[in-house]
Amino acid sequence: MIRPRLGAFALILASGTLPALAQSVTTGALSVSVLDASGLPVAGATVRIASGQIEKTAITGADGKAFFPLLNPGGWKVTVNKAGLSAPSQSVSLAINETHLVNLRGVKESSATVEVLGINRTVDMATTTTGSSLALDTIDALPKGRDVSTLIFLAPGVAGSGFAQGGLDVSINGASGAENSWSVDGLSATDFRYGGRGASLNTDFVDQVDIQTGGFKPEFSALGGVFNVLTKSGTNDFRGSLSLSFTPSAFEPRPKQTNFSLEPPASYGVDTAFWAGGALVKDRLFYSVGAYGNFAKQAAQKNASGFSSDEADIQDQQYFVKVNAYLTPNQQITANVMHTSNRFKIDHDVPRSQGNNVAYPQTLYIFGDAELGRTTDYNTNGASIGYDWTLSDNLFLTAKLGQSRIINPTAPVAANVPSVYDRHWFQGANANQAAPGGGAGTLPAYLTDTTNVYHRGGFGLYTREYNTTKQGNAALTWIIGDHSVKFGFSRLESTYQFWEDVSGSHRYTIDKNGGRLRDRVIRNDATVRSAYNAYFAQDTWQVTPHLNVFFGFRAETQDQFDGNGKKFLSFSASQALQPRLGFTYDAKGDGSSKLFGNYAIYYENMPQRLALREFTSEYFKEKRYNSLTYGGTHKGQYVYGPNGGNVGTFVAGSFDALVEYDAAFQFPPIQDGVKPPRREEIQLGYQRSWGSGWSAGLTFKYRALKDPLEDSNFVDAAGNPLADRNGNVDNTGYAVLWNIGSNLKYFNAHDGVTYDYTGVNLLFPKGFNKYRALECTLEKKSDRAYFSASYVLSRMEGNYQGLISSSNGQADANITASFDLWPYVGTGLLPLDHTHALKVYGTYKFNLGKAPLIVGANLNVQTGSPISHFDDGTATFGDGNSDFGGYGNSTPVHFQLGQFGRRPTTTRLALHLETEIS
């Protein structure tokens, strides 16, 4: 209720202050400005803030300002007092990496009644960053997964990447799943092997998440987006939680299919989580501990041959300990330790095909009787320590150190049995032919497509992988008049150890054309290393009380080391200089609206699979036998017979051809002056808050990926190697790492020749992709309700999907098959394009007495991805494209992508009900 004004003064915590104080990926800041009714600053007012851990006070200066940097996020109570004045206290929810501004009104104490004129929500004038910041207690009743990474899909512009592989399953603004940055408590949690998420974390242990989809400050960089997680801390009051849940498989959605893979069947099981936090020493030393366990089974499934898998056992366990201590009110140390173990075990599994079929959309069936049972572990261990220090009223320091380790082995059940991939089985199949392996039913007509594989024998390729990272960062903020200058440094070193072999020491493949047999041996035992450094600086200048200008840069260096410890690729700071320019303008002058814009460049931090696959001494030997059954030159005694059991029993004599890839395809040439891939970004938007907790926004985004890095072979229209400008022809067979479509010059150490293709038409277009979007948001926060809605209209087009390729399941960044040869390049709508995306979610608390009912809902509607058609180099579509690499149905029809309609629109709705018992 609004009452008449009783006093002559007004205390306003307004937005007309320097907006960028000291905050970090684990802390926030409060900016307080005390003004009288006429807008003049009030000096000498006492501003007190209090959390569940500590109280802090500051006296406003002549400018009426008080600053509170490096605050732990969460609830803070703000009170302003001065002799003769009284103001109501205000509860503030502070987010990570945020400078929080509040509008609070108070009056002169002329009677016993203190009048509250109203509280308005403000926007953050200190940033041009877009995305979502979520406090877990606010969305506690929202339907969500147990892992915190599921929350990233709540943010506008975030969609599935097309990969079922954990950590690579997130696409932000059309970027692939290997282009995001992940962090927990201020340190990187990225899997530097593949570029995806490297650690999981139960939501019961999480306080806040910060999802950044654009407009990053210089301390951040990613071609896609940034996902920060802040774990819970203890307070003076003991708090805790205990949960137990059971999920029947009938409640899980049915498996979905893409052009590449079929999701696994639904799982069922039970999980439990515990968390507790409190004070070891009141006001000084706090603890936070948690444990989580999930024990589930994944349902069995049958393939088209009639074979059934066993149920799979899934076990997930996680332990978490965090301690934070205040050495003084201005110095804090925070340390945590986390351990996660994930195990997937199946005694017998059925093989599945991964065909890329011409007549798409088409159901992918799985065939064979192979023993693919295995145990796969994914374990992570991490420890970190952080230090925050307010050196003076205008100088602030934050620093962090940490180490983590990923242990990821796969042990097959049939380790001693060779695997057989029979691509010839369905040659000439017809609709009346019985299914192989004695399965019931007949083969559908479309199984004449010989990309399907019948798999028998053992597991095939299996691995042991270890990834260790050591990292540290530090940042210093200095406030000088109307400028807030922040600069810092970070370093991360990643060591990737890898071992691989094939079951039975051999893997046999029977080709579809002529039934040729390939006897392949693959082994590797290597260690590669990488180092990433970043230097950044930014000045936030308050030009006027309503206009803030941001200008700064980020400079990165990265070095990639091969299996011999030698540096094979290095980018200097000048090659990866990232300017950051932006502004915010408060038209109303009260912190309720913001017009903003930014321009930025981000560079790729290269995952290490490139080094592992291309720059180690991988042993790869293949013996090729022609089939006597299907004619041709034949030296050995191989006769095609799919019922012959183990292929090794009917291979004898000498081979027809020998290929040793360990010599011919390792340590490829690299383009002279090669550049790291970069993404340019432009954002322009408007945000507005009003009433009690309402806010809305409208943002235009433009992002363009340039200078993508891939390996390519250069041939003419007949498949013959191209001559360079000097008439030299590279016949070594190596693919060259280069910025696609740029002028090419390289030294090939394998023949000692420098090849110069400057000005030569290599038939490749320049590699690129670009994303354009209009993003609308609406949000409401109150004591009883939380509501969020977003709509994104977007377009993602180009000829380069991203660092990894979802269309054929290739997760090795920068060395996908997309640009191996020019006939495989198409331009148009890319697989991660979704024209329309609507997200609506929220919670509401119904007061029904002592046990209130809390309802949560989450709706996600998204346009299906574009459909492309591919050919195998034949005249099927009349375009005459060639298939020089023998990849099958991989050449895009008429060099176009996404021109054959779309997959169906997906709609997901989840509901949640809970009550509170006191």
Side-chain angles (χ1 to χ4, degrees):
M1 180 176 182
I2 305 299
R3 302 176 183 173
R5 184 186 302 273
L6 299 179
F9 290 87
L11 300 180
I12 304 175
L13 280 72
S15 63
T17 63
L18 187 67
L21 301 179
Q23 73 260 353
S24 69
V25 294
T26 57
T27 63
L30 285 177
S31 174
V32 179
S33 180
V34 182
L35 308 175
D36 63 19
S38 61
L40 297 176
V42 177
T46 300
V47 181
R48 178 178 288 105
I49 63 171
S51 70
Q53 293 183 333
I54 196 171
E55 289 189 2
K56 294 189 176 188
T57 61
I59 307 298
T60 58
D63 58 359
K65 297 177 181 179
F67 306 110
F68 296 93
L70 301 180
L71 302 178
N72 288 343
W76 288 84
K77 187 175 181 179
V78 182
T79 306
V80 180
N81 288 299
K82 188 177 182 181
L85 298 177
S86 178
S89 62
Q90 170 65 50
S91 294
V92 174
S93 180
L94 183 63
I96 51 178
N97 201 39
E98 174 195 33
T99 299
H100 195 93
L101 311 170
V102 181
N103 280 344
L104 175 69
R105 296 183 180 181
V107 298
K108 183 177 181 179
E109 187 176 4
S110 57
S111 68
T113 302
V114 176
E115 174 190 13
V116 180
L117 298 180
I119 301 170
N120 293 323
R121 185 179 177 187
T122 60
V123 296
D124 188 358
M125 298 296 296
T127 183
T128 61
T129 302
T130 56
S132 298
S133 185
L134 302 171
L136 269 291
D137 57 355
T138 302
I139 61 170
D140 182 61
L142 193 70
K144 56 187 181 293
R146 298 295 278 166
D147 191 88
V148 69
S149 63
T150 62
L151 298 178
I152 197 171
F153 294 100
L154 298 176
V158 180
S161 70
F163 273 90
Q165 181 177 341
L168 295 173
D169 53 348
V170 177
S171 170
I172 299 180
N173 293 335
S176 73
E179 299 175 32
N180 304 314
S181 172
W182 306 83
S183 68
V184 175
D185 285 341
L187 290 172
S188 175
T190 302
D191 182 348
F192 280 84
R193 300 173 304 165
Y194 295 89
R197 183 183 71 256
S200 60
L201 190 64
N202 185 269
T203 53
D204 288 23
F205 311 154
V206 175
D207 185 13
Q208 295 190 18
V209 296
D210 179 31
I211 307 162
Q212 301 182 24
T213 59
F216 313 142
K217 296 176 181 178
E219 54 260 57
F220 303 100
S221 185
L223 297 180
V226 176
F227 186 67
N228 296 321
V229 176
L230 179 69
T231 56
K232 288 181 176 178
S233 298
T235 65
N236 283 319
D237 298 323
F238 174 81
R239 296 177 298 152
S241 64
L242 178 64
S243 66
L244 178 67
S245 64
F246 171 71
T247 304
S249 58
F251 287 5
E252 296 289 333
R254 294 180 61 187
K256 296 177 290 296
Q257 296 171 163
T258 69
N259 195 32
F260 165 65
S261 65
L262 176 71
E263 285 185 344
S267 60
Y268 62 95
V270 62
D271 69 70
T272 182
F274 160 79
W275 175 82
L280 295 171
V281 179
K282 187 177 181 181
D283 299 332
R284 297 291 296 272
L285 182 61
F286 307 92
Y287 70 90
S288 174
V289 296
Y292 166 72
N294 173 45
F295 306 94
K297 285 188 177 292
Q298 181 176 286
Q301 61 178 330
K302 289 186 177 181
N303 67 7
S305 298
F307 298 106
S308 177
S309 70
D310 295 330
E311 287 188 326
D313 291 313
I314 301 172
Q315 297 183 19
D316 302 322
Q317 300 178 56
Q318 189 167 81
Y319 307 97
F320 161 75
V321 178
K322 180 179 182 180
V323 176
N324 69 292
Y326 288 94
L327 306 179
T328 70
N330 293 324
Q331 295 183 72
Q332 179 183 201
I333 290 180
T334 304
N336 64 32
V337 176
M338 285 184 283
H339 167 76
T340 301
S341 63
N342 308 105
R343 167 163 287 189
F344 178 90
K345 182 179 180 180
I346 185 167
D347 292 328
H348 172 71
D349 196 9
V350 294
R352 64 184 65 206
S353 72
Q354 298 176 344
N356 192 0
N357 301 295
V358 175
Y360 192 86
Q362 170 179 309
T363 302
L364 293 179
Y365 277 74
I366 47 184
F367 303 97
D369 59 357
E371 176 52 86
L372 301 187
R374 67 203 181 278
T375 298
T376 298
D377 291 300
Y378 191 98
N379 302 327
T380 59
N381 302 293
S384 67
I385 185 168
Y387 177 62
D388 299 309
W389 184 15
T390 301
L391 288 85
S392 66
D393 291 341
N394 64 343
L395 195 60
F396 318 102
L397 173 69
T398 180
K400 296 177 177 63
L401 291 172
Q403 178 172 312
S404 63
R405 182 170 172 81
I406 297 172
I407 304 171
N408 187 198
T410 294
V413 170
N416 297 321
V417 180
S419 63
V420 182
Y421 293 86
D422 192 342
R423 300 178 184 273
H424 190 75
W425 185 283
F426 297 108
Q427 186 88 14
N430 58 68
N432 298 317
Q433 183 176 347
T442 60
L443 291 175
Y446 57 73
L447 290 186
T448 55
D449 178 7
T450 57
T451 60
N452 292 290
V453 179
Y454 190 82
H455 190 178
R456 66 164 60 84
F459 181 78
L461 196 67
Y462 64 101
T463 61
R464 292 195 295 267
E465 299 184 65
Y466 307 91
N467 182 216
T468 302
T469 61
K470 299 178 180 180
Q471 57 183 302
N473 61 63
L476 188 68
T477 303
W478 186 17
I479 297 178
I480 315 168
D482 292 331
H483 296 264
S484 177
V485 180
K486 186 174 184 179
F487 50 93
F489 166 78
S490 66
R491 178 174 176 81
L492 185 145
E493 295 184 0
S494 176
T495 302
Y496 179 17
Q497 298 169 276
F498 180 83
W499 175 92
E500 70 177 342
D501 202 345
V502 289
S503 61
S505 299
H506 292 265
R507 186 174 73 182
Y508 298 99
T509 301
I510 303 174
D511 292 336
K512 63 180 180 179
N513 296 320
R516 181 180 62 178
L517 173 72
R518 292 185 286 156
D519 175 3
R520 179 178 296 179
V521 177
I522 303 175
R523 295 191 188 95
N524 201 354
D525 188 358
T527 299
V528 295
R529 187 169 63 88
S530 60
Y532 312 87
N533 296 321
Y535 313 83
F536 68 87
Q538 177 172 297
D539 180 15
T540 300
W541 177 25
Q542 187 178 21
V543 182
T544 73
H546 309 317
L547 176 64
N548 303 292
V549 175
F550 313 94
F551 51 94
F553 71 91
R554 177 183 178 91
E556 295 177 348
T557 69
Q558 59 177 301
D559 299 309
Q560 299 285 338
F561 297 86
D562 63 23
N564 299 318
K566 181 181 178 181
K567 187 187 302 183
F568 71 88
L569 191 62
S570 180
F571 297 118
S572 65
S574 61
Q575 289 178 290
L577 187 63
Q578 307 177 28
R580 308 291 173 86
L581 303 172
F583 74 92
T584 61
Y585 179 68
D586 180 6
K588 295 175 66 67
D590 60 359
S592 65
S593 66
K594 176 175 73 173
L595 177 67
F596 69 94
N598 77 273
Y599 170 81
I601 293 178
Y602 314 119
Y603 280 90
E604 175 192 357
N605 281 334
M606 299 181 65
Q608 293 179 277
R609 290 291 292 178
L610 166 64
L612 195 284
R613 293 295 309 280
E614 299 281 299
F615 292 90
T616 61
S617 297
E618 180 183 60
Y619 180 82
F620 188 116
K621 179 180 288 186
E622 183 175 281
K623 298 178 181 178
R624 297 176 179 176
Y625 299 82
N626 289 326
S627 170
L628 182 63
T629 305
Y630 288 88
T633 303
H634 180 68
K635 299 178 182 178
Q637 299 177 19
Y638 163 57
V639 179
Y640 176 69
N643 296 316
N646 189 331
V647 171
T649 63
F650 56 89
V651 173
S654 60
F655 45 83
D656 295 282
L658 175 66
V659 179
E660 294 188 77
Y661 288 1
D662 60 316
F665 286 90
Q666 301 303 310
F667 300 89
I670 300 176
Q671 177 186 24
D672 291 354
V674 67
K675 302 175 183 178
R678 74 183 191 277
R679 193 180 298 278
E680 295 184 1
E681 175 189 80
I682 298 174
Q683 291 192 143
L684 184 63
Y686 180 75
Q687 293 180 6
R688 175 84 163 87
S689 66
W690 71 92
S692 180
W694 282 99
S695 66
L698 180 66
T699 306
F700 170 76
K701 295 186 176 185
Y702 172 83
R703 295 180 126 204
L705 183 69
K706 300 182 178 180
D707 295 325
L709 180 69
E710 282 286 341
D711 57 340
S712 301
N713 288 277
F714 310 105
V715 297
D716 60 20
N720 301 310
L722 285 169
D724 72 355
R725 62 186 302 177
N726 300 314
N728 298 318
V729 177
D730 188 348
N731 289 308
T732 61
Y734 284 89
V736 181
L737 284 170
W738 70 316
N739 297 124
I740 304 164
S742 61
N743 282 326
L744 178 64
K745 183 179 180 180
Y746 64 90
F747 173 72
N748 191 335
H750 301 278
D751 62 5
V753 177
T754 295
Y755 295 92
D756 186 355
Y757 289 92
T758 304
V760 176
N761 182 9
L762 297 175
L763 303 180
F764 283 97
K766 197 171 186 62
F768 79 100
N769 66 45
K770 58 184 178 182
Y771 173 84
R772 291 166 289 179
L774 189 63
E775 183 179 292
C776 310
T777 59
L778 179 65
E779 189 177 55
K780 160 73 174 179
K781 291 182 179 180
S782 71
D783 293 338
R784 296 176 59 186
Y786 177 75
F787 170 80
S788 177
S790 67
Y791 168 72
V792 178
L793 174 67
S794 66
R795 186 178 181 89
M796 180 70 179
E797 59 188 346
N799 57 24
Y800 183 68
Q801 295 183 41
L803 303 189
I804 57 177
S805 174
S806 61
S807 64
N808 56 12
Q810 292 184 313
D812 293 343
N814 303 113
I815 50 173
T816 67
S818 303
F819 280 80
D820 279 7
L821 293 158
W822 59 266
Y824 304 130
V825 181
T827 302
L829 295 178
L830 295 173
L832 296 177
D833 174 75
H834 302 283
T835 305
H836 305 284
L838 173 67
K839 299 180 181 182
V840 181
Y841 60 90
T843 63
Y844 191 84
K845 183 176 182 179
F846 294 92
N847 293 323
L848 303 177
K850 293 184 178 181
L853 178 66
I854 305 173
V855 179
N858 185 1
L859 173 67
N860 188 330
V861 182
Q862 181 174 268
T863 302
S865 56
I867 296 174
S868 302
H869 280 185
F870 297 87
D871 195 8
D872 58 1
T874 66
T876 305
F877 290 93
D879 62 358
N881 287 4
S882 299
D883 183 20
F884 300 130
Y887 295 167
N889 295 327
S890 297
T891 59
V893 174
H894 300 298
F895 300 101
Q896 294 180 331
L897 298 175
Q899 74 275 41
F900 291 96
R902 289 184 178 271
R903 297 173 180 85
T905 296
T906 59
T907 301
R908 297 181 179 89
L909 175 64
L911 300 175
H912 178 87
L913 299 176
E914 69 176 46
T915 187
E916 297 176 353
I917 301 175
S918 59

